[in-house]
Amino acid sequence: MTCVLRPPTVEELPTLSALCLRSKAVWGYGNDFMEACRSELTIEACELQSSSIAVAEENGKIVGVAQVRVTGSWADLLKLFVEPTMLRGGLGMKLFHWAASEATAMGAHRMAIEADPDAAPFYRRMGAKDSGFAPSGSIPGRMLPKLIKELGSM
Ligand SMILES: CC(C)(COP(=O)(O)OP(=O)(O)OC[C@H]1O[C@@H](n2cnc3c(N)ncnc32)[C@H](O)[C@@H]1OP(=O)(O)O)[C@@H](O)C(=O)NCCC(=O)NCCS
């Protein structure tokens, strides 16, 4: 894979938010559900300061994004989205490893993930362990699998 990871520019944020929506839709959600997710999947300019973001670029095109926020010894994986045409090619793992390394470098010992149910097996493959459920930030009443990745155990 020839993807390079780099920070995004502020001008690229609308492109990233569109990628997040396109990627989330691979699980077959309907229009109403996707519309309810739009706000949570939109990356605001202030998040460039409050979190770390990496985009994956291949041949000049952004094909993936990861976002992690560290608070003390805890990290939250806020986003991990791969372009639908690039699934199962190793890019999710590359972005996950970036997020874990970034969080570790910032002093975190554990990374929490509130996963889409269809993405949870991927996180388990990445070594994360199930840790109950968390309420969806987009859909009232919907519970999402919560997983914890112990950092330093890649
Ligand atoms: C989850 C996601 C990021 C995984 O990215 P990906 O590039 O397809 O994953 P990779 O190719 O790096 O896969 C790494 C490993 O996980 C496995 N894997 C990937 N997706 C999987 C899934 N949905 N279920 C089970 N295993 C999965 C792969 O088979 C591979 O295993 P291997 O090393 O034994 O071959 C991607 O499916 C995605 O963007 N989905 C839509 C958006 C989404 O739901 N994001 C997560 C929000 S919480």
Side-chain angles (χ1 to χ4, degrees), residues 1-5 55-59 61-65 81-83 85-97 122:
M1 172 170 312
T2 55
C3 281
V4 293
L5 302 189
V55 297
E57 181 182 319
E58 187 178 67
N59 299 328
K61 186 171 183 284
I62 292 177
V63 291
V65 60
F81 290 96
V82 170
E83 181 68 46
T85 55
M86 302 279 291
L87 294 178
R88 300 292 183 118
L91 183 52
M93 180 162 58
K94 184 169 178 158
L95 286 162
F96 184 89
H97 285 166
F122 162 80

Side-chain angles (χ1 to χ4, degrees), residues 12-25 34 38 41-43 83-84:
E12 288 173 325
L13 296 184
T15 301
L16 298 189
S17 301
L19 166 59
C20 291
L21 273 169
R22 225 169 28 248
S23 177
K24 178 89 176 175
M34 290 307 306
R38 181 179 292 277
L41 297 183
T42 299
I43 304 178
E83 181 68 46

Side-chain angles (χ1 to χ4, degrees), residues 66-124:
Q67 179 184 27
V68 64
R69 182 181 58 211
V70 174
T71 312
S73 61
W74 274 96
D76 290 294
L77 183 65
L78 299 178
K79 290 185 181 62
L80 178 52
F81 290 96
V82 170
E83 181 68 46
T85 55
M86 302 279 291
L87 294 178
R88 300 292 183 118
L91 183 52
M93 180 162 58
K94 184 169 178 158
L95 286 162
F96 184 89
H97 285 166
W98 169 83
S101 300
E102 180 78 3
T104 302
M106 295 174 76
H109 298 162
R110 288 178 197 85
M111 184 163 72
I113 304 146
E114 293 173 9
D116 186 284
D118 285 308
F122 162 80
Y123 294 116
R124 293 184 192 112

Side-chain angles (χ1 to χ4, degrees), residues 74 112-113 124 128-134 144-149:
W74 274 96
I113 304 146
R124 293 184 192 112
K129 304 290 182 212
D130 285 279
S131 180
F133 293 86
L144 299 176
K146 184 172 177 181
L147 298 99
I148 307 287
K149 169 70 180 175

